[in-house]
Amino acid sequence: MHKTVQNLLNIKTQIKTKIIELKYNYTPEIIAVSKTFSMDHIRPLIESGHIHFGENKVQEALEKWSEIKKNNKSLKLHMVGKLQTNKVKFALKIFDYIHSLDNLKLAKKISEEQKNYTNKPKIFIQINIGNEDQKNGVSLNEFEAFFKKTEDFNLDVIGLMCIPPFVKNTEIYFKKMVQIKDKTNLKELSMGMSNDYIEAAKNSAT
């Protein structure tokens, strides 16, 4: 078994154990963040049946995934990084999900560009759950007004995304997100990783 596949199985086991511990009735979908990794690392995961992958740069995603997605229609690619408005028309060519909607200018641009495609991208609104200056996202105080305004853009907003602070007890932020999700009747939550988490994951995958 390839090491990346074994790492994924280990992560799934850890998550399952934590969910049982917290008594959540919830089964998460794991998005393998494949940015900077070559297809040598990614292909074993695809062959094992994993379909959800994340990239944070549009050009890298187009170069890496365009051909393989043509040959495997089940693959789902998630934009997990900051999306600039001038890259939206290119992003919609390759990404099925956008996890980083954090301003109305971007919402409007996605709304305009998605008219050129049969399928709309599924959107997550990014929330700065820890109110950290170095992170993007809509503040908790501004979220309700922001969410109402996005409804005017005919976007397929399915959930909320946050990158919690790098602390031991991240479940407190998950609970906050659940409360906001329930209030807005959205279906999904996406919990991203800070650079500290990502570096730890990269070290374990090499």
Side-chain angles (χ1 to χ4, degrees):
M1 182 182 293
H2 195 276
K3 187 175 181 179
T4 54
V5 178
Q6 186 60 62
N7 286 342
L8 179 60
L9 292 175
N10 291 342
I11 290 170
K12 286 183 176 180
T13 298
Q14 293 171 21
I15 290 175
K16 183 178 180 180
T17 300
K18 191 66 174 179
I19 286 176
I20 292 173
E21 176 188 327
L22 296 173
K23 298 180 180 179
Y24 286 139
N25 183 22
Y26 182 75
T27 302
E29 187 70 62
I30 295 175
I31 301 168
V33 178
S34 49
K35 67 174 190 174
T36 74
F37 286 103
S38 70
M39 272 297 164
D40 289 339
H41 281 89
I42 299 167
R43 193 170 288 107
L45 292 176
I46 297 173
E47 293 172 351
S48 75
H50 193 75
I51 64 171
H52 290 276
F53 295 86
E55 296 282 342
N56 73 333
K57 293 182 179 179
V58 175
Q59 188 59 38
E60 180 181 350
L62 284 167
E63 293 173 358
K64 187 190 298 184
W65 289 96
S66 291
E67 191 62 31
I68 198 166
K69 283 195 74 185
K70 286 181 183 178
N71 299 323
N72 192 334
K73 300 298 184 181
S74 65
L75 290 175
K76 302 299 180 184
L77 199 60
H78 299 248
M79 177 62 182
V80 296
K82 175 73 174 176
L83 180 58
Q84 303 293 336
T85 54
N86 64 345
K87 296 296 178 81
V88 168
K89 64 181 179 180
F90 304 107
L92 296 191
K93 293 180 180 180
I94 193 70
F95 288 104
D96 305 285
Y97 295 80
I98 296 173
H99 288 244
S100 49
L101 176 60
D102 62 355
N103 65 80
L104 291 175
K105 183 180 178 182
L106 179 59
K108 182 179 180 181
K109 186 64 175 178
I110 295 172
S111 177
E112 293 170 351
E113 292 293 341
Q114 71 180 6
K115 296 174 184 177
N116 299 318
Y117 297 87
T118 303
N119 298 319
K120 296 180 183 179
K122 298 185 184 300
I123 307 290
F124 289 80
I125 296 174
Q126 182 174 350
I127 297 178
N128 187 347
I129 195 69
N131 291 320
E132 298 174 276
D133 292 337
Q134 74 275 22
K135 290 181 181 176
N136 297 315
V138 180
S139 71
L140 290 174
N141 292 335
E142 298 174 346
F143 170 74
E144 187 172 344
F146 179 86
F147 177 66
K148 287 180 179 178
K149 287 181 180 179
T150 61
E151 293 179 329
D152 297 333
F153 292 112
N154 193 30
L155 300 178
D156 188 10
V157 177
I158 64 167
L160 310 171
M161 188 278 271
C162 79
I163 302 175
F166 189 53
V167 295
K168 185 176 181 180
N169 297 319
T170 55
E171 57 263 28
I172 63 173
Y173 297 102
F174 180 78
K175 289 178 180 178
K176 282 186 181 180
M177 293 290 282
V178 169
Q179 291 172 353
I180 300 170
K181 178 183 75 68
D182 291 345
K183 187 176 180 180
T184 54
N185 293 318
L186 293 172
K187 297 178 180 179
E188 305 290 342
L189 290 178
S190 173
M191 299 289 283
M193 297 187 297
S194 69
N195 287 335
D196 298 304
Y197 289 111
I198 292 171
E199 286 303 315
K202 286 176 65 175
N203 291 336
S204 69
T206 55

